[in-house]
Amino acid sequence: MILSGPGAEFNDEKVLLHRMSAGDTNAFSTIYKLNSPKVYYYALKIAKNDTLAQEIVQDVFIKIWGLGEQLNSIENFQGYLRIVTRNYTLKVLRRIAIEFQASKMTTHNYQEGHNDTEEYVIFKDSERILNEAVEKLPAQQKLVYQLCHQEGLKYEEVAERLNLSKLTVKTHMQLALRFLRNYVSNHTDIAVLIILLNLLSEKN
């Protein structure tokens, strides 16, 4: 069915969605071909990861296919695609960050046997970026950060070791974290950023 004139594209889309809602795989194939590049672009813009964006395209369209008759109630399909892609991409990135924390991938005990996984690549990237940022800290802030975050000392313990007041240690730490957050925000994609920002929370 070919329509022409004002609103033809919209009407074609509505017809395709209606046919899709009834289980028409040809209509689904057409919708997929027309819109998968847009979904890929939306996902890539957020995730900054080609492999992840490609996987998200597949998952988003599987979700859309599963809507069935609900497809008929979608008034703005393009807007719907953007929202679903954004939400799903952020959900995937949050899951990656949670899995990183749960598996303690930020410790030196992470097994080298996992080094062929995408998660390990992202982990090593986050580790590299954070190390770069730490090296750029002023000497005192760097020392306080290393004692607090890397050795796990409390502010009181760091203050005693460095012969500083607890308030001074806290100030150094807050300044260090502010710099590190800004640095990683400007030097990484969102998957790594979520992980690093979780790591760069004040813990004392």
Side-chain angles (χ1 to χ4, degrees):
M1 180 177 184
I2 301 176
L3 300 176
S4 60
E9 183 179 351
F10 172 78
N11 289 328
D12 274 343
E13 187 174 82
K14 294 293 286 185
V15 170
L16 287 168
L17 290 174
H18 179 69
R19 286 168 48 191
M20 227 174 91
S21 72
D24 187 329
T25 55
N26 289 328
F28 172 77
S29 178
T30 302
I31 286 286
Y32 180 86
K33 289 176 183 177
L34 289 173
N35 294 285
S36 58
K38 300 174 188 176
V39 172
Y40 171 80
Y41 173 77
Y42 299 150
L44 185 64
K45 191 174 181 180
I46 298 172
K48 304 292 195 301
N49 183 288
D50 178 71
T51 302
L52 197 58
Q54 291 182 43
E55 292 176 357
I56 287 167
V57 170
Q58 305 302 318
D59 291 339
V60 165
F61 279 97
I62 288 172
K63 175 181 174 63
I64 290 171
W65 174 254
L67 290 175
E69 293 186 358
Q70 295 179 53
L71 287 166
N72 293 316
S73 64
I74 299 174
E75 293 298 325
N76 181 356
F77 184 64
Q78 296 304 313
Y80 177 81
L81 269 183
R82 284 192 293 271
I83 292 171
V84 169
T85 303
R86 181 198 65 197
N87 292 346
Y88 189 80
T89 303
L90 292 175
K91 179 181 177 181
V92 169
L93 294 175
R94 282 193 295 267
R95 174 178 57 76
I96 291 173
I98 291 170
E99 287 175 355
F100 269 33
Q101 291 179 312
S103 61
K104 301 184 185 301
M105 292 176 71
T106 55
T107 70
H108 295 294
N109 295 326
Y110 185 69
Q111 297 298 313
E112 290 295 324
H114 292 82
N115 62 5
D116 59 343
T117 65
E118 182 181 354
E119 288 83 2
Y120 184 77
V121 172
I122 297 175
F123 163 67
K124 294 303 291 183
D125 201 31
S126 66
E127 184 179 52
R128 175 185 60 78
I129 291 167
L130 183 55
N131 287 339
E132 285 178 1
V134 170
E135 289 303 313
K136 295 181 181 297
L137 288 170
Q140 194 78 317
Q141 291 179 27
K142 178 180 177 182
L143 181 57
V144 169
Y145 172 82
Q146 289 172 330
L147 291 174
C148 289
H149 258 249
Q150 297 178 356
E151 294 189 26
L153 299 182
K154 299 292 184 182
Y155 288 160
E156 294 89 343
E157 296 170 317
V158 175
E160 184 176 347
R161 180 178 296 192
L162 300 181
N163 195 27
L164 299 171
S165 70
K166 179 182 175 181
L167 179 59
T168 299
V169 170
K170 182 177 181 180
T171 300
H172 281 314
M173 189 62 177
Q174 290 174 336
L175 290 173
L177 291 176
R178 184 183 305 165
F179 171 82
L180 294 174
R181 291 188 194 108
N182 287 335
Y183 184 90
V184 300
S185 295
N186 293 320
H187 290 80
T188 188
D189 62 48
I190 195 166
V192 176
L193 179 60
I194 290 173
I195 296 162
L196 291 176
L197 292 182
N198 284 331
L199 291 174
L200 295 173
S201 58
E202 193 169 359
K203 298 177 181 179
N204 269 267

